[in-house]
Amino acid sequence: IVSEGGNDASKGDRDSDALYAEVTIPIFSKEKNIPLFRSLEIQAAGRFEYYSDFGTTEKPKVGLKWQPVDAVVFRGSYSEGFRAPTLPELFTAQSVGFADNLVDTTRCAVDPSLPDCTAGLVQYRSIQGGNPDLKPENSESWFVGGTIQVPFVKGLTLMTDYSHIDVKDVIANQSAQFIINNPSMFPGAVVRGAPQFPGDPGPIISINQ
């Protein structure tokens, strides 16, 4: 029997507030007539957010814009990001179904002749739904770029940008096979029954996705 159970109605709520501020500070301008500092600006910004379900967060951003001559501009910035889990990711009601085409890699490492080692021969109880214990995603990003207006070709502007984003605690719905293959990453997600032979980790009873 291959099936996916229905789930109950979902309900969740959240109060949130956010405050954003940004300031640009000119350090040099063309009026000062300083060589290689046609202009220089510093940008500072910050965002404060409040969520009723897991508290507050503050994220900064700092940037720099340097124009050594009229035709050349360099830019750079560092910022931190934040994404709260959505209400469906938190509060979707659980549903129970049965998944096939899976291989119990942990058990098959002990005895590869088991039915669990051939995809499609054994079905496993799978639990899906929201997770109220989810934490927010956080990120750090770097950006540098430059613009050059080519003086000997009218209307030609060259631009180059580089950005790097590092996201931590990514919220994702992992596949049942990935969870089976990586039990140390998901402690308790694979529930097993009693061992049936020496060295047997036990057959899978359910997988909590």
Side-chain angles (χ1 to χ4, degrees), residues 123-140:
Q123 295 179 340
Y124 301 101
R125 184 174 181 264
S126 173
I127 305 169
Q128 301 186 42
N131 181 1
D133 295 326
L134 285 176
K135 304 302 180 183
E137 293 182 357
N138 289 278
S139 66
E140 295 181 341

PDB file of all heavy atoms in Angstrom, residues 123-140:
ATOM      1  N   GLN A 123       8.454  -0.817   2.525  1.00  0.00           N
ATOM      2  CA  GLN A 123       7.927   0.530   2.717  1.00  0.00           C
ATOM      3  C   GLN A 123       8.123   0.955   4.163  1.00  0.00           C
ATOM      4  O   GLN A 123       8.089   0.125   5.070  1.00  0.00           O
ATOM      5  CB  GLN A 123       6.441   0.589   2.358  1.00  0.00           C
ATOM      6  CG  GLN A 123       6.164   0.335   0.883  1.00  0.00           C
ATOM      7  CD  GLN A 123       4.683   0.389   0.580  1.00  0.00           C
ATOM      8  OE1 GLN A 123       3.852   0.256   1.471  1.00  0.00           O
ATOM      9  NE2 GLN A 123       4.348   0.589  -0.685  1.00  0.00           N
ATOM     10  N   TYR A 124       8.312   2.239   4.343  1.00  0.00           N
ATOM     11  CA  TYR A 124       8.578   2.772   5.674  1.00  0.00           C
ATOM     12  C   TYR A 124       7.564   3.856   6.022  1.00  0.00           C
ATOM     13  O   TYR A 124       7.199   4.684   5.191  1.00  0.00           O
ATOM     14  CB  TYR A 124       9.995   3.361   5.738  1.00  0.00           C
ATOM     15  CG  TYR A 124      11.078   2.367   5.409  1.00  0.00           C
ATOM     16  CD1 TYR A 124      11.672   2.351   4.153  1.00  0.00           C
ATOM     17  CD2 TYR A 124      11.505   1.432   6.354  1.00  0.00           C
ATOM     18  CE1 TYR A 124      12.670   1.434   3.847  1.00  0.00           C
ATOM     19  CE2 TYR A 124      12.498   0.508   6.052  1.00  0.00           C
ATOM     20  CZ  TYR A 124      13.078   0.520   4.801  1.00  0.00           C
ATOM     21  OH  TYR A 124      14.050  -0.384   4.502  1.00  0.00           O
ATOM     22  N   ARG A 125       7.153   3.819   7.266  1.00  0.00           N
ATOM     23  CA  ARG A 125       6.230   4.831   7.775  1.00  0.00           C
ATOM     24  C   ARG A 125       6.957   6.178   7.834  1.00  0.00           C
ATOM     25  O   ARG A 125       8.032   6.295   8.407  1.00  0.00           O
ATOM     26  CB  ARG A 125       5.742   4.425   9.168  1.00  0.00           C
ATOM     27  CG  ARG A 125       4.701   5.333   9.795  1.00  0.00           C
ATOM     28  CD  ARG A 125       4.216   4.704  11.092  1.00  0.00           C
ATOM     29  NE  ARG A 125       3.182   5.506  11.749  1.00  0.00           N
ATOM     30  CZ  ARG A 125       3.424   6.381  12.716  1.00  0.00           C
ATOM     31  NH1 ARG A 125       4.672   6.546  13.150  1.00  0.00           N
ATOM     32  NH2 ARG A 125       2.457   7.070  13.264  1.00  0.00           N
ATOM     33  N   SER A 126       6.351   7.198   7.242  1.00  0.00           N
ATOM     34  CA  SER A 126       6.981   8.511   7.151  1.00  0.00           C
ATOM     35  C   SER A 126       6.062   9.564   7.753  1.00  0.00           C
ATOM     36  O   SER A 126       4.858   9.592   7.469  1.00  0.00           O
ATOM     37  CB  SER A 126       7.283   8.857   5.687  1.00  0.00           C
ATOM     38  OG  SER A 126       7.750  10.171   5.573  1.00  0.00           O
ATOM     39  N   ILE A 127       6.629  10.423   8.587  1.00  0.00           N
ATOM     40  CA  ILE A 127       5.872  11.492   9.238  1.00  0.00           C
ATOM     41  C   ILE A 127       6.370  12.829   8.694  1.00  0.00           C
ATOM     42  O   ILE A 127       7.557  13.127   8.744  1.00  0.00           O
ATOM     43  CB  ILE A 127       6.060  11.450  10.769  1.00  0.00           C
ATOM     44  CG1 ILE A 127       5.676  10.060  11.303  1.00  0.00           C
ATOM     45  CG2 ILE A 127       5.236  12.529  11.453  1.00  0.00           C
ATOM     46  CD1 ILE A 127       6.064   9.841  12.747  1.00  0.00           C
ATOM     47  N   GLN A 128       5.442  13.639   8.184  1.00  0.00           N
ATOM     48  CA  GLN A 128       5.800  14.937   7.632  1.00  0.00           C
ATOM     49  C   GLN A 128       4.933  16.024   8.259  1.00  0.00           C
ATOM     50  O   GLN A 128       3.860  15.753   8.791  1.00  0.00           O
ATOM     51  CB  GLN A 128       5.636  14.946   6.116  1.00  0.00           C
ATOM     52  CG  GLN A 128       6.491  13.903   5.404  1.00  0.00           C
ATOM     53  CD  GLN A 128       6.426  14.038   3.907  1.00  0.00           C
ATOM     54  OE1 GLN A 128       6.454  15.138   3.376  1.00  0.00           O
ATOM     55  NE2 GLN A 128       6.336  12.917   3.218  1.00  0.00           N
ATOM     56  N   GLY A 129       5.394  17.255   8.159  1.00  0.00           N
ATOM     57  CA  GLY A 129       4.617  18.373   8.693  1.00  0.00           C
ATOM     58  C   GLY A 129       5.525  19.481   9.178  1.00  0.00           C
ATOM     59  O   GLY A 129       6.747  19.463   8.974  1.00  0.00           O
ATOM     60  N   GLY A 130       4.940  20.476   9.800  1.00  0.00           N
ATOM     61  CA  GLY A 130       5.701  21.601  10.312  1.00  0.00           C
ATOM     62  C   GLY A 130       6.508  21.234  11.548  1.00  0.00           C
ATOM     63  O   GLY A 130       6.271  20.218  12.196  1.00  0.00           O
ATOM     64  N   ASN A 131       7.468  22.088  11.868  1.00  0.00           N
ATOM     65  CA  ASN A 131       8.313  21.876  13.038  1.00  0.00           C
ATOM     66  C   ASN A 131       8.326  23.150  13.879  1.00  0.00           C
ATOM     67  O   ASN A 131       8.997  24.132  13.525  1.00  0.00           O
ATOM     68  CB  ASN A 131       9.735  21.514  12.597  1.00  0.00           C
ATOM     69  CG  ASN A 131      10.660  21.266  13.770  1.00  0.00           C
ATOM     70  OD1 ASN A 131      10.268  21.346  14.927  1.00  0.00           O
ATOM     71  ND2 ASN A 131      11.914  20.958  13.467  1.00  0.00           N
ATOM     72  N   PRO A 132       7.605  23.175  14.985  1.00  0.00           N
ATOM     73  CA  PRO A 132       7.544  24.393  15.805  1.00  0.00           C
ATOM     74  C   PRO A 132       8.856  24.743  16.487  1.00  0.00           C
ATOM     75  O   PRO A 132       8.986  25.838  17.042  1.00  0.00           O
ATOM     76  CB  PRO A 132       6.457  24.067  16.834  1.00  0.00           C
ATOM     77  CG  PRO A 132       6.437  22.577  16.911  1.00  0.00           C
ATOM     78  CD  PRO A 132       6.763  22.095  15.523  1.00  0.00           C
ATOM     79  N   ASP A 133       9.847  23.852  16.439  1.00  0.00           N
ATOM     80  CA  ASP A 133      11.144  24.126  17.071  1.00  0.00           C
ATOM     81  C   ASP A 133      12.156  24.741  16.110  1.00  0.00           C
ATOM     82  O   ASP A 133      13.315  24.930  16.479  1.00  0.00           O
ATOM     83  CB  ASP A 133      11.722  22.826  17.642  1.00  0.00           C
ATOM     84  CG  ASP A 133      10.865  22.268  18.770  1.00  0.00           C
ATOM     85  OD1 ASP A 133      10.285  23.068  19.517  1.00  0.00           O
ATOM     86  OD2 ASP A 133      10.761  21.035  18.881  1.00  0.00           O
ATOM     87  N   LEU A 134      11.744  25.051  14.872  1.00  0.00           N
ATOM     88  CA  LEU A 134      12.673  25.635  13.911  1.00  0.00           C
ATOM     89  C   LEU A 134      13.218  26.973  14.403  1.00  0.00           C
ATOM     90  O   LEU A 134      12.499  27.770  15.003  1.00  0.00           O
ATOM     91  CB  LEU A 134      11.981  25.854  12.566  1.00  0.00           C
ATOM     92  CG  LEU A 134      11.721  24.633  11.694  1.00  0.00           C
ATOM     93  CD1 LEU A 134      10.940  25.032  10.454  1.00  0.00           C
ATOM     94  CD2 LEU A 134      13.026  23.968  11.302  1.00  0.00           C
ATOM     95  N   LYS A 135      14.488  27.201  14.121  1.00  0.00           N
ATOM     96  CA  LYS A 135      15.133  28.478  14.403  1.00  0.00           C
ATOM     97  C   LYS A 135      15.311  29.257  13.096  1.00  0.00           C
ATOM     98  O   LYS A 135      15.241  28.694  12.009  1.00  0.00           O
ATOM     99  CB  LYS A 135      16.486  28.251  15.079  1.00  0.00           C
ATOM    100  CG  LYS A 135      16.414  27.431  16.356  1.00  0.00           C
ATOM    101  CD  LYS A 135      15.488  28.071  17.387  1.00  0.00           C
ATOM    102  CE  LYS A 135      15.436  27.237  18.665  1.00  0.00           C
ATOM    103  NZ  LYS A 135      14.483  27.794  19.647  1.00  0.00           N
ATOM    104  N   PRO A 136      15.569  30.546  13.181  1.00  0.00           N
ATOM    105  CA  PRO A 136      15.713  31.353  11.958  1.00  0.00           C
ATOM    106  C   PRO A 136      16.983  31.016  11.180  1.00  0.00           C
ATOM    107  O   PRO A 136      17.958  30.508  11.721  1.00  0.00           O
ATOM    108  CB  PRO A 136      15.766  32.793  12.480  1.00  0.00           C
ATOM    109  CG  PRO A 136      15.275  32.738  13.889  1.00  0.00           C
ATOM    110  CD  PRO A 136      15.599  31.377  14.395  1.00  0.00           C
ATOM    111  N   GLU A 137      16.949  31.327   9.891  1.00  0.00           N
ATOM    112  CA  GLU A 137      18.151  31.319   9.084  1.00  0.00           C
ATOM    113  C   GLU A 137      18.914  32.630   9.311  1.00  0.00           C
ATOM    114  O   GLU A 137      18.314  33.682   9.511  1.00  0.00           O
ATOM    115  CB  GLU A 137      17.810  31.214   7.596  1.00  0.00           C
ATOM    116  CG  GLU A 137      17.201  29.898   7.178  1.00  0.00           C
ATOM    117  CD  GLU A 137      16.929  29.849   5.683  1.00  0.00           C
ATOM    118  OE1 GLU A 137      17.177  30.879   5.006  1.00  0.00           O
ATOM    119  OE2 GLU A 137      16.476  28.817   5.195  1.00  0.00           O
ATOM    120  N   ASN A 138      20.232  32.552   9.279  1.00  0.00           N
ATOM    121  CA  ASN A 138      21.075  33.739   9.382  1.00  0.00           C
ATOM    122  C   ASN A 138      22.092  33.723   8.253  1.00  0.00           C
ATOM    123  O   ASN A 138      22.479  32.657   7.762  1.00  0.00           O
ATOM    124  CB  ASN A 138      21.796  33.789  10.730  1.00  0.00           C
ATOM    125  CG  ASN A 138      20.858  34.081  11.884  1.00  0.00           C
ATOM    126  OD1 ASN A 138      20.527  35.229  12.144  1.00  0.00           O
ATOM    127  ND2 ASN A 138      20.406  33.033  12.575  1.00  0.00           N
ATOM    128  N   SER A 139      22.524  34.905   7.839  1.00  0.00           N
ATOM    129  CA  SER A 139      23.466  34.961   6.735  1.00  0.00           C
ATOM    130  C   SER A 139      24.433  36.127   6.904  1.00  0.00           C
ATOM    131  O   SER A 139      24.149  37.107   7.606  1.00  0.00           O
ATOM    132  CB  SER A 139      22.731  35.106   5.397  1.00  0.00           C
ATOM    133  OG  SER A 139      22.076  36.358   5.325  1.00  0.00           O
ATOM    134  N   GLU A 140      25.576  35.989   6.248  1.00  0.00           N
ATOM    135  CA  GLU A 140      26.556  37.055   6.111  1.00  0.00           C
ATOM    136  C   GLU A 140      26.866  37.209   4.628  1.00  0.00           C
ATOM    137  O   GLU A 140      26.960  36.212   3.908  1.00  0.00           O
ATOM    138  CB  GLU A 140      27.834  36.740   6.879  1.00  0.00           C
ATOM    139  CG  GLU A 140      27.666  36.676   8.389  1.00  0.00           C
ATOM    140  CD  GLU A 140      28.981  36.385   9.111  1.00  0.00           C
ATOM    141  OE1 GLU A 140      29.901  35.878   8.437  1.00  0.00           O
ATOM    142  OE2 GLU A 140      29.074  36.672  10.306  1.00  0.00           O
TER     143      GLU A 140
END
